[in-house]
Amino acid sequence: MADDDADIRDLVAYKLTQSGHQVTVVDDGLSALKAVREQTVDLALLDIRMPGMSGLDVCRELRAAPETERLPVILLTARSQEFDVETGFAAGADDYIIKPFSPRELSSRVQAVLARATR
């Protein structure tokens, strides 16, 4: 889970841990890319707007590498315009969650993406 907003990171980590997931939390895109490359992860949850490397850039990098091209990616963002959503999916995202979101919605969408990925 990568987001530069500590409150969002804490909320997401709490809710996903409560739902039985192990969560690695980082605060920028470069750290997210490093974590995915160094650990075995089942899903990347990325904020779009982060300092340095954006969540879109991380998603594109993950899709370009054979070892992570099938890793499920969910983008989190306050950007809600149709163009923004299209850009997220064009970058390779499996889902796109618009802030603010409910913790229950987040948990349900993570479960749905993980279920699709295991099929």
Side-chain angles (χ1 to χ4, degrees):
M1 191 291 132
D3 197 308
D4 59 330
D5 183 321
D7 292 334
I8 298 290
R9 283 194 317 265
D10 292 346
L11 171 69
V12 169
Y14 174 77
K15 182 59 182 175
L16 294 180
T17 300
Q18 188 181 43
S19 298
H21 301 284
Q22 291 182 349
V23 181
T24 299
V25 178
V26 297
D27 61 3
D28 63 69
L30 231 54
S31 298
L33 199 54
K34 182 179 178 188
V36 168
R37 289 178 173 159
E38 293 177 354
Q39 302 173 29
T40 301
V41 299
D42 295 324
L43 178 137
L45 192 57
L46 308 167
D47 180 29
I48 288 183
R49 291 182 143 191
M50 293 184 286
M53 186 176 211
S54 75
L56 290 171
D57 292 335
V58 174
C59 186
R60 289 183 188 108
E61 289 280 332
L62 293 172
R63 292 294 176 247
E67 61 275 5
T68 56
E69 68 184 356
R70 294 183 183 266
L71 178 70
V73 175
I74 298 176
L75 296 175
L76 291 175
T77 184
R79 302 179 71 133
S80 61
Q81 298 298 313
E82 186 175 340
F83 173 78
D84 298 317
V85 176
E86 289 174 358
T87 301
F89 283 116
D94 295 282
D95 202 354
Y96 191 99
I97 300 175
I98 297 168
K99 297 175 187 176
F101 53 85
S102 77
R104 183 174 293 163
E105 175 191 10
L106 172 72
S107 182
S108 295
R109 291 175 79 167
V110 165
Q111 285 300 111
V113 168
L114 287 172
R116 283 193 305 268
T118 58
R119 288 186 203 150

